[in-house]
Every structure is written in structure tokens, then in C-alpha cells.
Amino acid sequence: MIEPEPQLNDKKNPLNAHFQPHSSTSSILYISRTLCFCRTHPHTHTDKEKRKGIHTMASATASHTLCGIPTTSSSSSSTTNRVSPHSARFLLKTPLRRLGFAGAVADSLFTSHVATRLRSFSGSSSKPVRAVVSMAKKSVGDLTAADLKGKKVFVRADLNVPLDDAQNITDDTRIRAAIPTIKHLIANGAKVILSSHLGRPKGVTPKYSLSPLVPRLSELLGIQVVKADDCIGPEVEKLVASLPEGGVLLLENVRFYKEEEKNEPEFAKKLAALADLYVNDAFGTAHRAHASTEGVTKFLKPSVAGFLLQKELDYLVGAVSTPKRPFAAIVGGSKVSSKIGVIESLLEKCDILLLGGGMIFTFYKAQGLSVGSSLVEEDKLDLATSLLEKAKAKGVSLLLPSDVVIADKFAPDANSKIVPASAIPDGWMGLDIGPDSVKTFNDALDTTKTVIWNGPMGVFEFDKFAVGTEAIAKKLADLSGKGVTTIIGGGDSVAAVEKVGVANVMSHISTGGGASLELLEGKELPGVIALDEADTPVAV
Ligand SMILES: Nc1ncnc2c1ncn2[C@@H]1O[C@H](COP(=O)(O)OP(=O)(O)O)[C@@H](O)[C@H]1O
Ligand SMILES: O=C(OP(=O)(O)O)[C@H](O)COP(=O)(O)O
């Protein structure tokens, strides 16, 4: 069977300029299986609390049981002083995210033909050769000057950037990520009607206006962007009518209308009436079936993918379903419950699975270990056991940390020490992976050719417990320099990579937290499904 090069090798997509081609198959390397296990208690962040950087930790009584982990001899139990105490530097969960590709791309590249592939995950194939069904989506790169000149193009981007109290943009990543598609359209004489949401407004809310984005957009595009005060209606229609070829009109926040999130057809029809064709480049919002991401496609033909959307799919679907092997997945974050789908999906594809973060204590406890007052999801113990069994059955080398950094309280200035995962005392909680674990993880990662990372290894918002996460970020940066494909799957892992300052060297940094998680779970995104299929279907 011939296995074609994955779509992401297509360097014609300006966003894929740095992609390194890879060999189609490789042997799977099995490294020694080190399963560790412990116990704990509930520590939950609501979504809202997480966004505000608020953490809560319930204390817990620990039960003492056997440890299934090889006791780590070199782990120190002395109080750590590697990191200065205090400085509770909370990184808010923002859609910051610098992209791992060069923002400036030569205009000549924009005229390329590209076809986005979506591969459905059958989940039944053996790893080295995957026969997966491919559904190609038409791309903006498929549209020629003849298709675009003088045409009104409705572009849905995700310009949901963080603003400070003075309405200054604190991270322009998502604006920069939208530029290649807009430039392509401008260069081909289209009239660009740009739409986005910002925040989650309930009705018209001035602080969620898109007006503060105009100067930066204009600067990056090299033209003056015109701003409308609404996204539908006669005033907008007038502005569209006066838009010159190569001009850009930014519509007001589309979520000022409740019909947007309700995906009301009449509202979608009004948006669509402004334009001749549709481009969706809003990856971060592609998991929402809203009027401007899904509904509008019923009224505009063609409806195609933008370059950013395509690049996200190429990496988060393409590189993950047909990876250069060995392929490692690193999954961390607070709770196993929020990552079940991702772990199960990745177990079908990866050769090595490294687990870190708060979820490990549920795994430890499931194996009968004592985990002090660490975070544990009591109702997920059986699930943890079954995931370990599944990994074994599938021949995936699953590694849990052999040592952890524990704290006497959930605080940046907590006393801390490093202990084997099998020796967490009562009253102490694990907040980071330890140095032996970092070494073991690094050794495993050294064998890989593709790595995807989702979720921090510890409470990286506290400097004292950021060491494990930062070590992994540095390791991935190092591997990127050696040609390994490194994909950061959105969310807090992106914030961690940003914090270390290595975002620019990664192969791909996703601009969507929720959307990337859904893709990694193998779900289909409504904003993508709704797009036209490419003329030539691709069989992979
Ligand atoms: N050992 C731990 N105990 C408690 N919380 C943890 C631990 N390790 C990591 N976390 C928390 O997990 C959160 C990120 O989890 P999650 O949202 O699942 O990741 P992501 O946003 O990357 O998907 C961070 O706020 C971090 O503080
Ligand atoms: O910031 C976003 O998502 P993310 O926080 O999951 O990366 C997107 O703009 C989607 O926003 P929404 O979650 O309000 O629909």
C-alpha cells in the first residue's frame, strides 16, 4: 500500500512553509513501561475560575496502600529551594498564543493550491499503516484571481484576543494568524468582509467592540481597515457597496446578536447576503455551530477553509493520524475527566504516552498508592485502571511520573519536597513532576519523531511548581531543532510554552484551546464539516 505524504507536507500553504517531510512508516519503539500510582481528593476549578486563574483545593484524608511504582532511589526528600518562593505569578488562561510559524509570508505563496484533509479516525488500524478515509475540504488557496477579483468575500476569523482595561491588545497572536488568508484575498482583488466575535457578550456591550483591533489589523495588512458599527443592516450594506477591490471591512462583534450563537437561519441569511462567497479561518471557533461559522455556509457558495484553519487541521488531524514514528503524546492538566476523550483517542495512535499534571494522582490511587491530599477524582478510579489496561493491550508505552514535587499547601510559597510517587505523606499534595520523571520523560522523548502535548505537568502558574512543565517545554524546543514535529495542542500548555519563550520554535502551536481538544478527541468540528468538499477527494 502506498502511503502518500501527509497534506501538511504541502509547502504551498503559506502557513506550512516550515514543515519537514517525513518518512511514511517506521518501527515502533517500545520503551520500558513504568507505571506508577497514588491517591487523593477533589480539587476542582470551574471553567470560569480557571479563566480567572483561581484555584481551589479541598483537603483530603489519605488512605495508605501499596505502591505499584518502582521506588525511585535518587529522589530527594529534602526541602526544595530550586525556585524562589513567593511570586504567585498566575498566568491567566487567555487566548494568547504565539504561533509556531513565521507570520510574514511572501505574497507569491498565497496563490497556491491547497486542499485540507480531514481524516476520520477509525481507531481500528494497526499503528504503522493507517488506512483512513480522507475528506478534503476546499481551500481559499484553490480559488484563483478569476474566482476572487471583485468578489465580496465573507471571512470568519477568530479575532478573540485579550484586551486590558484600557482596551489595549495584550496578545495579537490571533490577529497575526488571520493575516495570510486576508492578504491572499486582497492580493487577488477580493473585497473582504471580515467577521469575528470577541468574548461572550450578552447583547451589545461596548467593551466587547472590535474597534480596538482596527489599528493593529491595518498595520499588519498595510492598508486602512474600515470598521462597521454593526454586522448586518443598511449601514453595513452601504459600507460593503463602497468597498474597493482589495479593501477590508471589519464588521462589529457578531455575538452582539443572540441569533449568532443560536445559529438562527434568518440571521445567517442576513450575514450571507453581504457577500458572494465564504471563507472560514476561525479555527478557535470551529467547534461552535454558530451562524457565522456554520449557518452562513448554507447560503454562500463556495464556502472554503482559510489557511490558518487548514494548517490547524493539517497538524492536529493530519500529523496525529499519520505521524512520523515513534509518536509520543504528553497529556497533563488538572483532571483526568477533562482528558478522557483525548487519552482514549491518542491511545489509538501513539507509541508512547506520558502523563503528568493533577490527573496522575487518580491513576496512582487506582493502583492502591497513597497520594496525601493531592487532586483525585474518586469516581474515575476504575476509568484510570481501564486506561492503563488499554495502553498495555495496545502496546503503548505509558509512563507515569516516578517522582513528584509535593507541597504542604496549595500556594506559591508552600513548603515543598521531592519524593518518589510511592511515598507521598498524608497532608501533602503533588503539584509537579519530579526530576527523575523529567529525565525519564526526556529519554523517552529523545526516541521520537512526532510529539503532541496537551496540558501542563504541574501547577505551572506557581513558579515553584513550574519546573517540570518548563523542562518539557524546553525539551520539545530542543527536539524541534532536531527535526522532530512538535505540536502544542492549545490551552494551558500553550501558555507554558509562551512563558518559557520557546513558542516560535515549535512546529505548530494551536490558536484554539477547546477546538484543538475536540479535534484531538477525534470529534468533527461543525465549522469545518459545513465547508465545501474539494473537487478531488483524497484517499489516504
Ligand atoms: N498536580 C496538580 N494539581 C492541581 N492542579 C494541577 C496540577 N498540575 C496541573 N494542574 C493544573 O491544571 C491546569 C490546566 O489543566 P487543563 O485545563 O486540563 O489543561 P489545558 O488547558 O492545557 O487543557 C492548570 O491550571 C494547572 O495549575
Ligand atoms: O477563545 C476561544 O476558545 P478557547 O478559549 O477554547 O481557545 C474561542 O474564541 C472560542 O470562544 P468561545 O469559547 O467563547 O466560543
Side-chain angles (χ1 to χ4, degrees):
M1 171 173 179
I2 297 168
E3 192 182 4
E5 288 295 323
Q7 169 64 22
L8 70 177
N9 285 353
D10 187 350
K11 292 192 176 180
K12 290 176 187 170
N13 179 346
L15 301 187
N16 280 347
H18 293 208
F19 187 76
Q20 307 278 322
H22 61 70
S23 60
S24 56
T25 56
S26 63
S27 59
I28 299 171
L29 186 109
Y30 295 100
I31 55 179
S32 64
R33 202 166 269 116
T34 316
L35 302 178
C36 318
F37 326 100
C38 293
R39 107 171 258 108
T40 337
H41 239 241
H43 159 202
T44 51
H45 308 167
T46 63
D47 196 43
K48 225 180 232 172
E49 283 169 334
K50 277 183 62 185
R51 284 169 192 273
K52 290 180 178 171
I54 299 168
H55 296 248
T56 53
M57 172 82 74
S59 63
T61 39
S63 79
H64 187 82
T65 21
L66 280 177
C67 172
I69 303 176
T71 306
T72 319
S73 53
S74 58
S75 288
S76 151
S77 61
S78 60
T79 302
T80 55
N81 51 9
R82 291 173 294 161
V83 195
S84 63
H86 48 255
S87 90
R89 184 145 82 89
F90 265 121
L91 292 181
L92 300 184
K93 187 173 175 171
T94 64
L96 47 88
R97 285 145 216 187
R98 197 168 302 135
L99 298 176
F101 56 86
V105 196
D107 280 0
S108 60
L109 288 170
F110 294 152
T111 57
S112 60
H113 168 99
V114 277
T116 300
R117 292 176 191 182
L118 288 184
R119 296 170 177 85
S120 72
F121 300 143
S122 68
S124 57
S125 57
S126 62
K127 285 191 206 78
V129 180
R130 283 180 200 291
V132 285
V133 178
S134 175
M135 182 173 61
K137 289 294 175 187
K138 199 164 193 167
S139 159
V140 69
D142 296 333
L143 304 177
T144 63
D147 298 318
L148 295 170
K149 190 166 167 45
K151 294 285 169 54
K152 292 171 285 179
V153 184
F154 190 100
V155 179
R156 178 51 159 108
D158 187 333
L159 305 178
N160 184 22
V161 293
L163 300 172
D164 65 16
D165 291 343
Q167 297 286 89
N168 296 310
I169 299 161
T170 55
D171 183 342
D172 68 355
T173 300
R174 281 178 167 168
I175 301 179
R176 287 186 292 106
I179 297 300
T181 292
I182 303 170
K183 276 197 170 175
H184 173 68
L185 294 169
I186 293 172
N188 284 284
K191 303 173 180 183
V192 177
I193 302 163
L194 185 59
S195 170
S196 177
H197 73 285
L198 182 81
R200 294 174 174 174
K202 300 276 172 258
V204 178
T205 318
K207 76 166 179 170
Y208 291 122
S209 167
L210 290 177
S211 294
L213 279 58
V214 172
R216 186 66 180 133
L217 259 175
S218 301
E219 184 185 348
L220 288 166
L221 290 171
I223 58 165
Q224 182 58 49
V225 170
V226 178
K227 164 78 186 3
D229 292 333
D230 206 335
C231 63
I232 52 170
E235 288 307 312
V236 177
E237 285 159 23
K238 268 188 220 160
L239 288 169
V240 170
S242 61
L243 199 58
E245 290 183 5
V248 177
L249 173 69
L250 177 64
L251 303 182
E252 186 51 282
N253 193 337
V254 72
R255 285 192 186 170
F256 282 177
Y257 286 84
K258 62 178 183 336
E259 293 87 344
E260 160 69 359
E261 290 176 74
K262 289 184 175 167
N263 198 4
E264 286 194 3
E266 278 311 306
F267 179 67
K269 204 171 175 178
K270 285 178 189 166
L271 291 173
L274 298 171
D276 301 312
L277 54 111
Y278 176 72
V279 177
N280 189 353
D281 212 18
F283 175 72
T285 324
H287 58 317
R288 311 286 186 213
H290 292 172
S292 66
T293 60
E294 200 267 346
V296 77
T297 63
K298 298 187 172 69
F299 305 101
L300 281 173
K301 293 290 163 215
S303 290
V304 304
F307 291 127
L308 173 66
L309 183 64
Q310 179 198 327
K311 181 175 186 258
E312 295 270 13
L313 296 170
D314 283 348
Y315 276 94
L316 294 167
V317 181
V320 168
S321 52
T322 52
K324 292 180 288 181
R325 295 189 179 277
F327 170 34
I330 310 168
V331 182
S334 56
K335 294 181 293 180
V336 65
S337 55
S338 62
K339 300 289 166 78
I340 297 166
V342 170
I343 294 173
E344 286 189 329
S345 178
L346 288 171
L347 274 176
E348 302 290 341
K349 306 172 186 78
C350 70
D351 309 307
I352 300 165
L353 177 61
L354 310 178
L355 296 182
M359 73 172 68
I360 59 176
F361 304 100
T362 300
F363 284 90
Y364 292 157
K365 184 169 181 184
Q367 299 300 311
L369 295 190
S370 176
V371 294
S373 53
S374 309
L375 172 61
V376 160
E377 291 171 277
E378 297 288 344
D379 61 339
K380 295 289 180 288
L381 296 175
D382 289 346
L383 173 84
T385 303
S386 77
L387 287 173
L388 295 172
E389 283 165 0
K390 196 169 176 181
K392 195 172 178 183
K394 292 196 169 294
V396 174
S397 289
L398 190 153
L399 277 80
L400 282 161
S402 52
D403 61 345
V404 289
V405 182
I406 57 172
D408 58 356
K409 60 181 176 183
F410 189 79
D413 60 349
N415 290 312
S416 65
K417 51 188 177 177
I418 299 163
V419 296
S422 56
I424 301 175
D426 286 357
W428 289 73
M429 64 190 73
L431 296 185
D432 196 7
I433 63 174
D436 283 346
S437 308
V438 168
K439 187 176 181 317
T440 307
F441 282 15
N442 282 349
D443 289 347
L445 291 169
D446 272 333
T447 68
T448 63
K449 293 210 171 71
T450 305
V451 184
I452 184 154
W453 182 20
N454 181 288
M457 297 291 97
V459 183
F460 74 106
E461 297 93 334
F462 298 152
D463 286 349
K464 200 167 188 174
F465 306 104
V467 177
T469 301
E470 290 178 6
I472 294 297
K474 283 176 190 152
K475 185 66 192 175
L476 294 199
D478 174 47
L479 292 173
S480 303
K482 293 176 179 161
V484 174
T485 301
T486 50
I487 305 164
I488 314 300
D492 282 332
S493 355
V494 177
V497 166
E498 292 275 354
K499 190 183 174 196
V500 176
V502 292
N504 286 335
V505 300
M506 302 298 179
S507 306
H508 181 65
I509 300 241
S510 180
T511 55
S516 63
L517 207 58
E518 292 204 13
L519 267 191
L520 291 177
E521 287 171 5
K523 291 182 184 162
E524 293 174 321
L525 308 185
V528 176
I529 295 303
L531 300 175
D532 296 353
E533 289 183 28
D535 297 335
T536 318
V538 186
V540 180

